[in-house]
Amino acid sequence: MTNDAVRVEGLSFSYGRTPVLRDVSLSIQRGCIACFTGPNGGGKSTLLRLILGLLKPQAGQISVLGTTPEAASMRIGYMPQQVQFDPRFPITVMQIVLMGRLRGNRPGFYSRQDRFIASTCLEEVDLANFANTPFSHLSGGQKQRVLIARALAVQPEMLLLDEPTAMVDNHIEARLLEQLRTLHARMTIVLVSHDMHFLQQLVQVGFHVNGTVQPAQQGCCHG
Amino acid sequence: MGDFFRAVIDPDLVFLRYALIMAVLASVAFGVVGTFVVARRISYIAGAIAHAILGGIGLAVYLNRVHGWLWLEPLHGALLAAIASALIMAWVRWLGTEREDSVIGAIWSVGMAVGLLFLALSPGYSNPTGYLFGNILLISKADLWLVFLLDIIVLTVALLFYPQLQAVCFDEEGARLRGVATHAFYALLLCLTGVTIVLLVSVVGIVLVVALLTLPAAIAGQFASTFGRMMAGSCLLCLTFSIGGLGLSYNLDWPTGPAIILLAGSVYLVVFLGRRIANSLFALKRSVKS
C-alpha cells in the first residue's frame, strides 16, 4: 500500500480555453493535515474537485488512497461550503448526516446500523440533540458541523474540507480546530482555506495554489 | 358542495365521477412528484414538459386519423412527448454545454407549435382548447386505469429510491460522491414529472397543470420540516384543491381547470400573506418586549 494519500503528477486543467492549473505535482502523506491556500480563482477548489473525481484532468495523473479519484470517492468524507445549499430545503439534520451512508443506487431506506453511525457522528460534533431539527433552523457554525458529521458518517480514510471556517465566528473556529485535531488521529485531512491564522495552528503541510502549486508550509509531512 | 356530491353518485353523470376518481388518483403522484419539483427548483422544466405534451397529442391525433393508427390515443402521444422532452432536458444538463433556459424555451414553444400544426393537419374537428385548458368530458374509464397504473409506478420508484432522489435534490455533487448515478436519477425525476403531468392534463389542461403540480408542494413547504411531511401535505392539498375545484366548477358552472387553479392560487396567496403578517407581528412583539 502506497504511503501517499494523494499523489498528483504533471496535472493540468482548464475551463474551456482558460487554464486554471498548469503542470501541478504534489504529494500528501497518509495521516497528514494538509491545506491548499491562495487567492480567489487560483484553482484551490478546482484542485479539490479533481482530487474528488468530480472533474477530470486534461493532462497528468492523480492517485488518491492508492487508486483513481473515482474509485476512492466512497472512502472520502467531503465537506463542501454550506452556502451552496438551498436554505429552505425541507430536511432535518439526521437526514443530511444519513446521506453520508448512501451506497450507490441500491434501492431501499437506510438501515438501523446506518442510523446508529449517523447518530454517533452527530454526537462527535456535539449536535446529538439536533437530530430532528430542520437544517434551515441552524446557525452557520452548526450547519458546518452537520456537514462534517455527514463527511464522518462515510467512515472515511481521508477528510476533505472546503473553506471550513468561512462564515463562522472565532468561538466556532476554535471548536472546529479542536475537532479536527481529534479527527487527525484517525484520518488524513485536506483543507481549502483562506484563513492563515487557522492554518498555522493546525496544518502540517501547506500548498500555495495560484495556477501552479508551491509548498507554503512544511512540517512532519512532505509536500 | 352537497349538490356536487349528490351529482357524483348520479348514474347519469358518469363523467363527474370519473373526474373525481381521476383527481383522487392523481393527487398522490402530484403530491410526491410536486415536492421533488419544488425542492429541486425545476418548475420551469416541468412547464416546458407540460407544453411539449401538446406536440405528442397532435402527432397522435394526426397518425390516428390520417394513417389509421387507431390504437394510438392522444394520451399515448402525450406520454411519449413527456418522456422524450424529459430525456432531452436531462441530456442537455448532462452535456453542460448549452444554456438550459434556452433549451427550456425551445422545448416549450416547439412542442406547442408541433401540436397545433398536427391538429390543424388532422381531418375532422380538432379543438386544442380541451387539451390546453382541460375538459373533464375527455376522461374515459381506460384513462382511469392508466392513471392508476402510472400512480403505482410513480410511487414505487419514489419509495424505492427515496434516499437517492432526496440526495440528488439537496446536494447532487454529494450524492455523486456516494456512488449515486446522479444524471440517471435526474433523468428519472424529469420522466416521473412528465408522466405525472400527463395524468392531470385532461382535468386542468396543459397551460394550468404546472400550477397544480407546484402550488400544493409550495404551500406544504411553508410548514413542513421534512421531505416526507412536505409530500404528505402536498398530496392532501392537491386532493383538496382538485375536489374543491370540481365542486366549485359544478356549482358555479365554471370551467374545471381554472376553478381548481384559482382555489389553489388563492390558498397560496392567503398562506403567503398570513405568514408575512404573522412574522411581522412576532418581530414587533419581540421588539416591544426588549
Side-chain angles (χ1 to χ4, degrees):
Chain A
M1 189 170 70
T2 170
N3 198 35
D4 287 328
V6 178
R7 183 163 200 89
V8 176
E9 286 171 0
L11 172 81
S12 294
F13 184 83
S14 52
Y15 290 109
R17 290 181 181 177
T18 313
V20 180
L21 294 167
R22 292 181 302 276
D23 196 24
V24 171
S25 295
L26 62 90
S27 67
I28 299 167
Q29 286 185 5
R30 286 179 191 257
C32 191
I33 300 187
C35 181
F36 299 133
T37 186
N40 281 337
K44 303 185 297 293
S45 292
T46 300
L47 186 53
L48 200 68
R49 291 164 66 80
L50 283 158
I51 291 170
L52 283 163
L54 293 168
L55 297 172
K56 286 198 186 304
Q58 277 113 24
Q61 287 188 332
I62 306 174
S63 159
V64 181
L65 301 171
T67 181
T68 61
E70 290 82 5
S73 71
M74 295 289 271
R75 294 150 64 199
I76 297 173
Y78 170 52
M79 192 208 83
Q81 294 186 41
Q82 46 121 339
V83 285
Q84 73 185 57
F85 299 114
D86 178 358
R88 293 172 62 190
F89 197 93
I91 194 162
T92 63
V93 166
M94 176 55 98
Q95 286 173 329
I96 290 177
V97 179
L98 277 168
M99 284 180 193
R101 301 301 304 161
L102 265 174
R103 277 180 292 271
N105 307 318
R106 204 169 68 179
F109 284 81
Y110 298 105
S111 68
R112 190 177 290 184
Q113 194 197 3
D114 289 334
R115 291 181 184 280
F116 174 75
I117 291 168
S119 299
T120 310
C121 295
L122 274 176
E123 277 172 27
E124 204 162 352
V125 296
D126 296 330
L127 287 174
N129 294 332
F130 290 82
N132 296 317
T133 305
F135 188 61
S136 57
H137 291 192
L138 302 184
S139 67
Q142 287 171 324
K143 284 179 180 171
Q144 295 281 51
R145 280 150 61 202
V146 170
L147 295 175
I148 290 178
R150 183 179 73 163
L152 293 177
V154 172
Q155 298 187 311
E157 291 171 46
M158 183 164 75
L159 197 58
L160 266 61
L161 310 168
D162 195 355
E163 299 283 4
T165 55
M167 298 173 71
V168 298
D169 58 31
N170 291 343
H171 171 68
I172 300 293
E173 188 181 298
R175 282 187 69 158
L176 183 65
L177 193 73
E178 215 175 287
Q179 267 162 1
L180 291 179
R181 276 207 181 102
T182 313
L183 292 170
H184 175 219
R186 308 199 315 246
M187 62 193 76
T188 309
I189 298 176
V190 179
L191 305 144
V192 164
S193 182
H194 281 100
D195 193 342
M196 293 310 288
H197 171 71
F198 178 72
L199 295 184
Q200 277 165 4
Q201 296 181 61
L202 183 73
V203 168
Q204 295 163 325
V205 58
F207 300 97
H208 184 78
V209 184
N210 189 15
T212 57
V213 174
Q214 303 294 329
Q217 185 178 336
Q218 202 81 18
C220 73
C221 304
H222 301 291
Chain B
M1 288 296 273
D3 287 349
F4 169 67
F5 285 112
R6 271 191 293 278
V8 165
I9 53 171
D10 185 336
D12 294 331
L13 298 174
V14 178
F15 73 93
L16 205 55
R17 198 151 55 244
Y18 283 179
L20 187 73
I21 296 169
M22 176 71 98
V24 173
L25 290 175
S27 291
V28 179
F30 259 54
V32 172
V33 175
T35 298
F36 286 123
V37 168
V38 169
R40 186 67 178 76
R41 299 184 179 216
I42 52 170
S43 303
Y44 281 108
I45 295 180
I49 293 171
H51 285 76
I53 281 172
L54 190 67
I57 291 172
L59 186 62
V61 170
Y62 177 81
L63 291 172
N64 185 304
R65 292 186 190 167
V66 176
H67 294 284
W69 294 23
L70 299 176
W71 54 270
L72 190 68
E73 296 290 329
L75 190 65
H76 303 146
L79 273 174
L80 282 174
I83 290 171
S85 49
L87 291 176
I88 290 169
M89 289 303 313
W91 181 59
V92 164
R93 186 177 165 77
W94 179 68
L95 282 179
T97 52
E98 299 297 319
R99 287 179 64 108
E100 252 184 290
D101 56 339
S102 305
V103 179
I104 290 170
I107 288 179
W108 191 302
S109 43
V110 171
M112 291 285 281
V114 168
L116 293 171
L117 181 69
F118 276 113
L119 286 176
L121 292 176
S122 301
Y125 180 68
S126 297
N127 183 5
T129 313
Y131 300 118
L132 291 175
F133 301 105
N135 183 353
I136 55 171
L137 295 172
L138 290 175
I139 300 170
S140 66
K141 204 170 185 175
D143 288 343
L144 291 180
W145 279 110
L146 189 57
V147 168
F148 180 65
L149 182 70
L150 294 175
D151 233 2
I152 290 172
I153 293 170
V154 166
L155 280 176
T156 306
V157 171
L159 283 173
L160 276 180
F161 298 106
Y162 181 85
Q164 286 86 354
L165 288 168
Q166 185 189 47
V168 166
C169 288
F170 178 69
D171 176 14
E172 197 169 337
E173 212 166 64
R176 196 172 142 200
L177 289 172
R178 295 303 305 150
V180 176
T182 52
H183 293 303
F185 274 101
Y186 185 68
L188 179 68
L189 187 59
L190 293 189
C191 287
L192 283 182
T193 306
V195 167
T196 308
I197 284 171
V198 173
L199 301 183
L200 264 195
V201 156
S202 50
V203 179
V204 291
I206 287 165
V207 176
L208 303 177
V209 75
V210 173
L212 194 56
L213 186 69
T214 54
L215 286 176
I219 297 168
Q222 303 267 334
F223 303 100
S225 57
T226 68
F227 225 49
R229 285 179 193 166
M230 187 169 161
M231 279 178 186
S234 183
C235 290
L236 278 175
L237 284 168
C238 191
L239 186 65
T240 308
F241 296 147
S242 303
I243 295 176
L246 277 170
L248 275 178
S249 159
Y250 179 79
N251 287 321
L252 303 174
D253 199 19
W254 286 3
T256 313
I260 294 173
I261 301 307
L262 279 175
L263 181 63
S266 306
V267 173
Y268 179 74
L269 192 65
V270 168
V271 168
F272 174 75
L273 291 175
R275 278 178 68 88
R276 298 280 295 183
I277 293 167
N279 286 344
S280 303
L281 287 174
F282 181 69
L284 188 71
K285 203 173 161 185
R286 215 166 43 178
S287 66
V288 168
K289 267 189 183 171
S290 62

